[in-house]
Amino acid sequence: MITANETDRLKEWFGAENIRRHQQHVADFWNGKGRCLASITSMENMYRQLDDLDKMAALAVENLKDQARLPGINIPTLIADFGTVTTAKYWGGRAYRDSTGENISIERAAKTVDEALAIKPKRVDDPEMDAALSIELYRRVCRRLNTSHLWLRAGDLQGPLNTASLVMSDEEFLIELYTDPDKIHQFLDRVTTLLIEYVQYTQK
C-alpha cells in the first residue's frame, strides 16, 4: 500500500521535477516536436526473466536507483520481462530453461495448424500467466518504492508470426504458410487477438 506519510523513493532519487520534465520531453517527441531521445539504463542489477517475483522486485528497485544517477531522458520504468515465450505459453506449451540455465525455451503445444486451431488459449488474466504476473510484479515494486510514478513496459513481447511459430512446430508453420494459408491466417488472427488483449490488460 502506498502511504502519504512515507517518502516516494522515485521522487527522491529522480527528482519530482525531472520526472515531470522527462515525461513532457517524451510526450513532445511522440507529438512530433522533438528530434531525438537518448536514454541510458543500468544492467548491473539485472532483474529480468527470473523465476522469483520477490527477487525480481528487489533487483528492480536497485536497478531504478542506478538509473536515477545516469544521464539522458530517463523515465522510471519497470520492464516486466518473462522471456520470448510469454505469449506462446497461453496455448499450453511448457516453458523451460536450456542447459545453460539462462535461456527460456518452450515445448511446442501443437505440431500442425489444425492442432493449433483446436487449442483454446488461456484467458489473458489467468493468474498464473505472464500478463497477471507482470501486474503483480509492478505492484510489488511500487509498494517497495511507495510510489505511483512508475511506468510499466511490456517485456519481450513477440509479434504474431514469432508467437505462432512458438506455439506450433517451426517447420510445419513455414510449410503450411504455403500449403494451407487460410488456416494459418485463422490461427494468426487468434494469436493477434491475444496479443492485443495482453497489451490492453497490462495497460489498465
Side-chain angles (χ1 to χ4, degrees), residues 44-64:
E44 191 168 338
N45 291 290
M46 183 47 59
Y47 61 89
R48 297 164 66 176
Q49 299 187 20
L50 302 180
D51 298 320
D52 183 327
L53 283 187
D54 276 333
K55 186 173 182 181
M56 289 179 77
L59 288 170
V61 167
E62 294 304 314
N63 182 271
L64 285 160

Side-chain angles (χ1 to χ4, degrees), residues 35 42 56 70 74 113 134 140 143 157 159 163 166 183 188 197:
R35 294 184 60 189
S42 171
M56 289 179 77
L70 296 172
N74 287 323
V113 70
S134 296
R140 292 188 192 192
R143 287 195 295 268
L157 196 64
T163 300
L166 289 168
K183 287 183 179 178
L188 289 173
E197 290 175 351

Side-chain angles (χ1 to χ4, degrees), residues 5-48:
N5 60 346
E6 293 183 19
T7 302
D8 181 323
R9 293 168 73 184
L10 285 185
K11 282 186 176 180
E12 178 185 347
W13 295 341
F14 285 80
E17 177 57 25
N18 272 341
I19 292 175
R20 186 205 64 77
R21 184 167 53 83
H22 288 185
Q23 288 177 352
Q24 186 60 52
H25 194 122
V26 171
D28 288 345
F29 174 80
W30 287 112
N31 285 322
K33 299 177 183 177
R35 294 184 60 189
C36 64
L37 291 174
S39 297
I40 300 174
T41 190
S42 171
M43 303 291 284
E44 191 168 338
N45 291 290
M46 183 47 59
Y47 61 89
R48 297 164 66 176

Side-chain angles (χ1 to χ4, degrees), residues 63-76:
N63 182 271
L64 285 160
K65 190 173 183 179
D66 290 342
Q67 185 183 348
R69 296 191 287 261
L70 296 172
I73 305 301
N74 287 323
I75 295 176

Side-chain angles (χ1 to χ4, degrees), residues 47-107:
Y47 61 89
R48 297 164 66 176
Q49 299 187 20
L50 302 180
D51 298 320
D52 183 327
L53 283 187
D54 276 333
K55 186 173 182 181
M56 289 179 77
L59 288 170
V61 167
E62 294 304 314
N63 182 271
L64 285 160
K65 190 173 183 179
D66 290 342
Q67 185 183 348
R69 296 191 287 261
L70 296 172
I73 305 301
N74 287 323
I75 295 176
T77 58
L78 172 73
I79 306 173
D81 181 3
F82 298 95
T84 59
V85 303
T86 279
T87 48
K89 286 192 290 188
Y90 284 82
W91 270 264
R94 184 185 70 86
Y96 64 94
R97 292 189 182 270
D98 66 12
S99 58
T100 69
E102 298 293 329
N103 303 307
I104 303 174
S105 299
I106 192 168
E107 293 176 352

Side-chain angles (χ1 to χ4, degrees), residues 138-150:
Y138 174 80
R139 289 172 177 162
R140 292 188 192 192
V141 175
C142 285
R143 287 195 295 268
R144 285 172 179 262
L145 295 169
N146 195 52
T147 191
S148 58
H149 292 90
L150 182 64

